[in-house]
Amino acid sequence: MIAAHFIAPFRVQGASGKNDANDAAAICEAASRVRTRCVPVKTPEQQGWQGIHRLREGYKEERTACINRIRGLLAEFGLVFPQSPDALRRVLSEVLEDASNELPGMMRLALQRAQAHWRVLDDEISWCDQQVKQHVRGDQAATRAAQLHGVGELTASALVAAVGDMRQFKSARQFSAWVGLVPSQNSSGGKNRLGRITKRGDDYLRTLLIQGAKSALLAATKRSDRISQWLLQLRDRVGWQKALVALANKNARILWAVLTREIDFDPDHVPPIPQCKLPALKEPQPA
């Protein structure tokens, strides 16, 4: 299995000559190249856990739309509340039961049904969260991944479901590049020009890594391990946003090392310094 964006450059006539024959020839040409990266086939279990994550994201989007819909309908009658789901949840039942406002009876019934739909979506998201917790507890790789600062149960479950065997990546940097957390390059003529991150790969997994890095940065002042101290120094030097992406990139590399070597995460781990082996000196030959 080869990704489609790896096939298009091998099409002879470019984008204007797309047909079945040219696509088949491009697939054969791409498959014959040694450096072409193929997509590993996912197991049914991986597909199932990815389905849980997709359902959870769909429920989140639907819940946000439901909350905004309720807020907009109330604003038409002059009932405006703070921009927070918790604040709206606390006052919504009282507003619907208050007879002094100008809400008509039909609108009250409609908003009650919308409120009930909101509760159903909350229950569905809670059910998905429980399934994710069970996945992390029952999977050894997900349990190891959840030990990192900034990698919670949701990120660990999504990582195992999306990647599976981490040994398919040759190095930690290759996995980080696959997620899209490495800087894009526009280098030429011996000049290295690095830009923003590439944002390639799995958008969902990259978003979870960056959001988890945000929580780790907020709690870094309460910890004294090496990674937290490095993160605080980096935040003071380059700023908040760059420090978040840098930590997400570091977490991606640590995840590769932890899962490929099957070891537990140690926040105070110091990597060994590679020693350079000097060539052996030849003994002088007698004259």
Side-chain angles (χ1 to χ4, degrees):
M1 296 176 61
I2 306 175
H5 58 273
F6 291 147
I7 303 297
F10 294 99
R11 194 183 298 120
V12 177
Q13 297 181 3
S16 60
K18 185 181 183 335
N19 53 50
D20 293 341
N22 290 338
D23 288 344
I27 292 172
C28 294
E29 182 68 23
S32 63
R33 300 300 177 96
V34 179
R35 299 184 60 183
T36 299
R37 298 185 298 274
C38 299
V39 179
V41 180
K42 290 181 174 59
T43 62
E45 186 178 2
Q46 286 181 264
Q47 292 283 71
W49 287 117
Q50 279 195 322
I52 296 295
H53 286 271
R54 298 296 181 268
L55 283 174
R56 186 181 183 279
E57 286 300 301
Y59 292 143
K60 280 179 55 180
E61 295 177 0
E62 190 175 354
R63 182 179 64 178
T64 302
C66 181
I67 293 173
N68 292 336
R69 191 177 301 116
I70 294 174
R71 191 184 301 276
L73 292 174
L74 291 175
E76 293 182 359
F77 294 91
L79 301 174
V80 181
F81 303 99
Q83 295 289 332
S84 171
D86 294 334
L88 181 60
R89 185 185 289 109
R90 287 193 297 266
V91 300
L92 182 57
S93 298
E94 298 178 0
V95 170
L96 296 179
E97 295 177 0
D98 187 7
S100 61
N101 54 39
E102 298 180 356
L103 285 176
M106 182 56 66
M107 180 57 64
R108 294 179 190 273
L109 294 176
L111 290 176
Q112 286 177 357
R113 296 182 64 87
Q115 185 184 25
H117 183 55
W118 185 0
R119 295 195 183 107
V120 171
L121 293 175
D122 286 336
D123 295 339
E124 296 295 337
I125 294 175
S126 299
W127 180 84
C128 292
D129 291 337
Q130 293 176 1
Q131 300 304 313
V132 168
K133 290 181 180 179
Q134 293 180 5
H135 180 211
V136 174
R137 293 173 183 174
D139 192 281
Q140 188 175 8
T143 303
R144 285 197 176 101
Q147 295 174 354
L148 274 70
H149 299 318
V151 178
E153 294 179 342
L154 192 64
T155 307
S157 175
L159 173 70
V160 174
V163 179
D165 187 10
M166 193 68 77
R167 293 183 179 88
Q168 60 182 296
F169 300 100
K170 297 180 180 179
S171 63
R173 189 190 183 282
Q174 190 180 61
F175 171 66
S176 180
W178 178 79
V179 180
L181 291 171
V182 298
S184 59
Q185 292 196 25
N186 188 19
S187 304
S188 179
K191 296 181 179 180
N192 296 326
R193 300 183 180 89
L194 301 180
R196 300 179 178 179
I197 58 175
T198 60
K199 295 184 180 181
R200 296 179 179 178
D202 195 336
D203 296 339
Y204 178 64
L205 182 58
R206 183 176 60 254
T207 302
L208 290 178
L209 287 172
I210 294 178
Q211 293 296 330
K214 183 182 295 185
S215 64
L217 182 53
L218 290 173
T221 56
K222 303 177 183 179
R223 295 191 295 263
S224 59
D225 56 277
R226 292 173 56 88
I227 295 180
S228 299
Q229 297 303 315
W230 165 81
L231 182 59
L232 293 176
Q233 295 174 6
L234 184 66
R235 181 200 60 183
D236 298 336
R237 189 170 68 252
V238 300
W240 177 274
Q241 296 295 338
K242 291 183 179 180
L244 292 180
V245 178
L247 179 60
N249 189 5
K250 179 181 284 292
N251 282 341
R253 294 172 180 246
I254 295 175
L255 284 170
W256 179 88
V258 167
L259 297 182
T260 54
R261 300 170 186 173
E262 297 182 355
I263 58 177
D264 293 334
F265 169 67
D266 182 11
D268 293 318
H269 172 71
V270 179
I273 300 176
Q275 298 179 358
C276 180
K277 295 183 180 180
L278 298 176
L281 298 177
K282 295 182 179 180
E283 296 181 358
Q285 298 294 332

